[in-house]
């Protein structure tokens, strides 16, 4: 059975279910108790805690708590605020299991909103996922559908490692079908084929998955069959699903909202070049935002975002200039 | 812990640090940050803790670890990158944690221990587990923003943390007086609403009495306490440092108040200790460190395959 809910409701539903299932799970953040009185009612003020507006100590506290038997979920609100929390997340959560020779584990989840489209400007919108992907010991999740918001958050909470869970703000209010009641786990590290196709592989995650789906519709009208892959988890990164697809299609476009330099798309492209070069009929293309801070003006923000027509143009360029036989 | 046992621990710490310094001077040998001169603070506080209490410390941690009962052979092995080290050689000297002794963290990010301490205490409190958290940091860490965030959070959430600031007068290569307008860290703590006390950190008895009272108060109220121990870093910032920034004139008065000399003089004066016993205790400490070194030297290095283990749980 499924029900329709927004991604935001799906996240809350996941939290509710996991806090019911495991009394070690707790939530802390700037206003989580104020904004979610239902959670306070259900689980008590001990387990749903407002914090000072001090991201460094919020993150550090979560790391210490995770090392000592709790499973904290910490809400950092907006991804750029993670820069204040980087020390605890990168130097402690990600490294201390290794540095301690496996004596401690750090089962915690860091929630943060990201993604352009709200006109809030660069200090509230910054796609930082590649920073965390580059940091050893962390896992990074960035879902695109309501069902995945729920299923991935439940898996992240149950994972014994630190997980950075990034929510694209414009997706939070989109409704989707979500399985009921509470048994829907989406494993970390498994990409999803959103649409099967033969001619080109479109690889993406979060909001731009939908951009790829829109591009695939247009391509279909032009007689081209695009396969769309949602990575869902950026670390661990499911390259097998990508490689299998590229082996069949011979063409790949990687699309994301973060900038191009050293982004996730660069990694995906490099691995395809290393591991499936013979299958490629054309160079891999990346379609990303420009390497600029996220602008606030709606017009500039839209210019910043990857667009479906850019994807279509990239694919049509290959069709109009076929590779030499 | 009785007076003689406290002396034994301090002598063992000193013998360990002096051996490390000698190995480093002879080189090549991995670097470390010495806590020589801070033994009374470590032993005095840790003797006030129980086995269920948790400890977070910093890069100048040898005194804390040995005071807590860490095996010098496994510490030396860790410094040397051997597989028998407490962290399988993956830490080195700077981040040694020892779960079996309740040492959750040794942080070399200055203030990292202050960052995690409220969380460790929160877990104790929410899981209704006995025990408090002792967090050792220096005056350098107190100048980090996280010090203020940590004390504030521990106070508003009533977390059982004993903050121990070992004010050792140096912040890496910077004199404390260059970075602080106030003389005492405890003055800063007062603003957050937790009880604060400054003691002579080279007097093991004074440290121990203050720590016992502070720990009792934390156990009783569940609220944090800041104890500042005024002490002195007798060596440079790290073992490769030529120590040219420290003058003999600065060192002399502190060396006259060396915590081990003070303690043994007191025990001799009180008749608790005879000069001949003292020689025996020192020889015993030296012998134990020589044996530890032999064990560490004989220990294997990790296999290269260990590179990829312990990243994820």
């Amino acid at each position: 059975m499924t029900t329709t809910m927004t991604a935001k409701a799906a996240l809350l539903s996941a939290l509710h279910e996991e806090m019911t299932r495991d009394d070690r799970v707790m939530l802390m953040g700037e206003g989580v108790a104020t904004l979610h009185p239902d959670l306070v009612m259900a689980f008590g003020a001990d387990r749903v805690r407002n914090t000072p507006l001090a991201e460094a100590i919020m993150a550090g506290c979560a790391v210490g708590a995770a090392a000592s038997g709790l499973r904290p979920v910490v809400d950092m609100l907006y991804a750029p605020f993670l820069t204040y929390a980087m020390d605890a997340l990168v130097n402690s959560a990600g490294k201390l299991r290794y540095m301690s020779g496996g004596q401690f584990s750090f089962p915690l989840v860091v929630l943060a909103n990201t993604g352009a489209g709200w006109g809030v400007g660069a200090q509230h919108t910054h796609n930082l996922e590649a920073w965390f992907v580059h940091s050893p010991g962390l896992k990074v999740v960035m879902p695109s559908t309501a069902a995945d918001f729920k299923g991935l958050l439940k898996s992240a909470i149950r994972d014994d490692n630190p997980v950075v869970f990034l929510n694209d703000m414009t997706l939070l209010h989109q409704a989707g079908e979500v399985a009921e009641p509470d048994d829907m786990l989406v494993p970390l590290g498994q990409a999803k084929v959103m649409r099967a196709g033969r001619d080109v592989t479109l690889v993406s995650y979060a909001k731009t998955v939908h951009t790829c789906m829109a591009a695939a519709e247009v391509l279909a009208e032009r007689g081209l069959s695009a396969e769309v892959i949602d990575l869902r988890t950026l670390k661990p990164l499911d390259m097998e699903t990508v490689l299998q697809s590229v082996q069949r299609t011979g063409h790949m476009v990687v699309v994301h909202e973060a900038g191009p330099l050293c982004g996730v798309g660069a990694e995906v492209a490099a691995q395809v070049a290393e591991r499936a070069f013979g299958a490629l009929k054309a160079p891999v293309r990346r379609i990303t935002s420009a390497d600029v801070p996220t602008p606030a003006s709606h017009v500039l923000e839209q210019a910043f975002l990857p667009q479906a027509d850019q994807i279509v143009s990239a694919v049509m360029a290959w069709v109009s200039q076929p590779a030499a036989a | 812990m009785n007076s003689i046992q406290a002396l034994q621990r301090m002598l063992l710490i000193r013998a360990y640090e002096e051996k490390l310094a000698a190995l480093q001077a002879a080189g090549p040998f991995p670097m470390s940050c010495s806590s020589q001169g801070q033994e009374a603070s470590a032993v005095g506080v840790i003797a006030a803790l129980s086995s269920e209490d948790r400890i977070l410390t910093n890069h100048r941690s040898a005194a804390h670890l040995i005071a807590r009962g860490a095996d010098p052979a496994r510490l030396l092995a860790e410094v040397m990158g051997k597989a028998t080290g407490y962290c399988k050689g993956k830490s080195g000297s700077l981040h040694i944690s020892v779960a079996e002794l309740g040492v959750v963290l040794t942080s070399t990010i200055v203030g990292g221990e202050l960052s995690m301490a409220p969380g460790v205490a929160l877990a104790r409190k929410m899981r209704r587990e006995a025990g408090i958290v002792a967090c050792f940091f220096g005056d350098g860490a107190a100048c980090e923003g996280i010090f203020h965030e940590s004390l504030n959070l521990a106070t508003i959430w009533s977390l059982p943390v004993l903050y121990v600031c070992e004010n050792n007068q140096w912040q890496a290569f910077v004199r404390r007086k260059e970075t602080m307008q106030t003389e005492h860290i405890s003055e800063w703590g007062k603003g957050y609403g937790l009880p604060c006390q400054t003691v002579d950190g080279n007097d093991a008895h004074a440290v121990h009495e203050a720590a016992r009272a502070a720990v009792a108060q934390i156990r009783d109220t569940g609220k944090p306490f800041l104890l500042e121990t005024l002490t002195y870093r007798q060596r440079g910032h790290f073992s490769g440092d030529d120590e040219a920034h420290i003058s003999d004139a600065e060192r002399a008065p502190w060396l006259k108040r060396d915590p081990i000399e003070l303690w043994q003089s007191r025990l001799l004066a009180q008749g608790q200790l005879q000069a001949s016993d003292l020689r025996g205790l020192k020889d015993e400490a030296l012998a134990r460190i020589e044996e530890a070194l032999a064990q560490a030297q004989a220990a294997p290095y990790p296999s290269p395959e260990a590179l990829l283990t312990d990243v994820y749980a």
Side-chain angles (χ1 to χ4, degrees):
Chain A
M1 197 178 94
T2 64
T3 185
T4 304
M5 64 173 77
T6 62
K8 189 174 181 182
L11 285 178
L12 282 170
S13 165
L15 269 173
H16 214 288
E17 287 170 15
E18 292 307 305
M19 290 182 80
T20 303
R21 191 185 62 81
D22 184 346
D23 67 7
R24 296 170 300 174
V25 179
M26 62 163 302
L27 177 65
M28 63 172 116
E30 303 166 10
V32 292
T34 315
L35 298 174
H36 304 298
D38 51 324
L39 288 177
V40 180
M41 191 81 88
F43 303 109
D46 239 25
R47 290 177 66 195
V48 184
R49 288 173 176 256
N50 278 348
T51 64
L53 309 192
E55 292 79 9
I57 196 64
M58 287 163 65
C61 184
V63 176
S68 313
L70 296 178
R71 302 182 78 87
V73 178
V74 54
D75 185 354
M76 291 291 175
L77 293 182
Y78 295 96
F81 305 170
L82 289 169
T83 55
Y84 260 115
M86 288 296 273
D87 170 50
L89 299 180
V90 173
N91 289 317
S92 296
K95 295 179 183 174
L96 289 179
R97 177 168 183 78
Y98 191 80
M99 289 202 301
S100 70
Q103 293 178 89
F104 294 93
S105 57
F106 298 87
L108 67 105
V109 178
V110 180
L111 298 174
N113 295 332
T114 186
W118 274 49
V120 290
Q123 291 193 340
H124 277 67
T125 307
H126 189 169
N127 287 81
L128 294 175
E129 59 270 18
W131 291 15
F132 295 101
V133 170
H134 201 68
S135 300
L138 302 178
K139 295 186 177 182
V140 183
V141 177
M142 214 162 157
S144 76
T145 65
D148 281 358
F149 270 85
K150 179 166 180 180
L152 286 166
L153 182 57
K154 286 169 69 79
S155 293
I157 290 171
R158 295 186 195 191
D159 199 282
D160 286 333
N161 298 289
V163 181
V164 178
F165 198 101
L166 297 164
N167 303 316
D168 192 307
M169 280 184 273
T170 59
L171 297 177
L172 285 172
H173 298 281
Q174 286 189 10
E177 294 293 307
V178 176
E180 288 247 304
D182 61 355
D183 54 352
M184 200 211 55
L185 287 173
V186 176
L188 304 186
Q190 268 185 25
K192 182 178 183 183
V193 177
M194 301 289 283
R195 175 186 175 124
R198 298 179 310 274
D199 301 322
V200 60
T201 302
L202 308 180
V203 179
S204 191
Y205 55 89
K207 179 200 293 129
T208 45
V209 169
H210 303 287
T211 314
C212 290
M213 292 295 278
E217 289 291 330
V218 176
L219 290 168
E221 288 165 13
R222 301 184 187 187
L224 288 168
S225 161
E227 181 146 299
V228 178
I229 294 174
D230 178 359
L231 293 171
R232 302 200 286 193
T233 303
L234 306 180
K235 190 175 192 172
L237 181 62
D238 176 9
M239 279 306 297
E240 293 311 314
T241 299
V242 174
L243 291 166
Q244 281 171 21
S245 178
V246 173
Q247 293 286 0
R248 282 185 286 106
T249 66
H251 291 96
M252 183 174 77
V253 184
V254 194
V255 186
H256 59 59
E257 191 180 306
L261 286 169
C262 302
V264 171
E267 175 63 29
V268 171
Q271 288 208 37
V272 166
E274 282 178 348
R275 300 167 69 184
F277 186 74
L280 287 173
K281 297 170 188 159
V284 169
R285 281 292 310 274
R286 281 179 291 158
I287 294 175
T288 71
S289 63
D291 185 16
V292 298
T294 316
S297 158
H298 181 71
V299 169
L300 295 178
E301 203 180 36
Q302 290 305 305
F304 173 88
L305 285 169
Q307 302 294 333
D309 60 9
Q310 292 175 283
I311 302 169
V312 171
S313 298
V315 175
M316 294 312 292
W318 289 325
V319 177
S320 58
Q321 294 178 314
Chain B
M1 185 178 290
N2 66 33
S3 302
I4 300 296
Q5 287 168 330
L7 179 61
Q8 282 177 309
R9 279 287 153 90
M10 288 200 280
L11 289 171
L12 188 64
I13 295 164
R14 182 65 63 91
Y16 173 87
E17 301 244 46
E18 286 185 336
K19 174 55 71 178
L20 211 49
L23 291 165
Q24 285 153 344
F29 197 84
M31 66 80 77
S32 66
C33 293
S34 171
S35 57
Q36 186 174 320
Q38 304 177 194
E39 295 88 349
S41 179
V43 169
V45 172
I46 285 177
L49 301 176
S50 304
S51 59
E52 73 268 18
D53 295 330
R54 297 285 180 267
I55 294 169
L56 291 90
T57 171
N58 59 77
H59 51 286
R60 241 171 264 292
S61 66
H64 306 134
L65 292 161
I66 294 173
R68 186 63 166 180
D71 175 358
R74 294 194 66 191
L75 291 179
L76 277 166
E78 188 58 47
V79 174
M80 294 160 73
K82 299 292 187 83
T84 56
Y86 277 112
C87 306
K88 305 180 192 168
K90 288 175 171 171
S91 161
S93 72
L94 294 176
H95 335 86
I96 303 175
S97 55
V98 186
E100 68 202 61
L101 298 175
V103 181
V104 180
L105 172 72
T106 291
S107 180
T108 189
I109 299 284
V110 170
E113 63 284 12
L114 287 160
S115 167
M116 278 174 59
V120 178
L122 180 67
R124 311 242 86 191
K125 178 175 171 164
M126 286 182 60
R127 293 173 64 76
R128 294 182 172 75
E129 290 169 348
I132 69 157
V133 177
C135 178
F136 293 91
F137 59 101
D139 41 298
C143 291
E144 294 265 7
I146 200 72
F147 165 79
H148 303 271
E149 295 187 25
S150 183
L151 265 60
N152 186 46
L153 191 69
T155 307
I156 60 171
W157 284 0
S158 287
L159 301 175
V161 183
L162 174 61
Y163 288 100
V164 184
C165 180
E166 295 180 329
N167 185 343
N168 70 6
Q169 317 305 322
W170 279 94
Q171 305 175 352
F173 297 101
V174 181
R175 280 183 183 79
R176 178 182 62 75
K177 289 177 189 292
E178 285 182 61
T179 68
M180 294 172 55
Q181 287 284 356
T182 47
E183 190 63 20
H184 294 150
I185 308 298
S186 58
E187 289 166 34
W188 290 356
K190 285 173 190 160
Y192 296 98
L194 75 172
C196 302
Q197 186 182 356
T198 298
V199 293
D200 178 354
N202 282 19
D203 179 341
H205 180 73
V207 171
H208 185 56
E209 287 303 306
R212 276 206 330 194
V215 169
Q217 188 172 335
I218 295 167
R219 291 195 206 286
D220 189 39
T221 63
K223 293 179 177 173
F225 192 107
L226 170 61
L227 179 64
E228 178 183 28
T229 60
L230 295 178
T231 184
Y232 188 69
R233 185 190 84 191
Q234 290 186 358
R235 291 186 182 273
H237 172 42
F238 67 98
S239 54
D241 158 12
D242 64 8
E243 305 184 10
H245 54 291
I246 309 171
S247 69
D248 289 342
E250 178 198 310
R251 264 201 185 107
W254 283 103
L255 293 182
K256 261 190 225 161
R257 301 200 67 259
D258 179 274
I260 298 177
E261 300 280 339
L262 283 180
W263 192 241
Q264 65 198 29
S265 304
R266 181 175 304 173
L267 298 186
L268 288 167
Q270 290 170 347
Q272 290 197 54
L273 181 71
Q274 306 307 316
S276 56
D277 299 335
L278 180 60
R279 189 66 258 158
L281 291 176
K282 286 185 174 174
D283 288 345
E284 190 182 286
L286 292 173
R288 190 155 166 220
I289 295 303
E290 286 301 334
E291 169 58 26
L293 178 61
Q295 284 179 38
Q297 283 171 332
Y301 283 101
S303 75
E305 292 75 47
L307 173 70
L308 300 180
T309 60
D310 302 319
V311 180
Y312 291 106

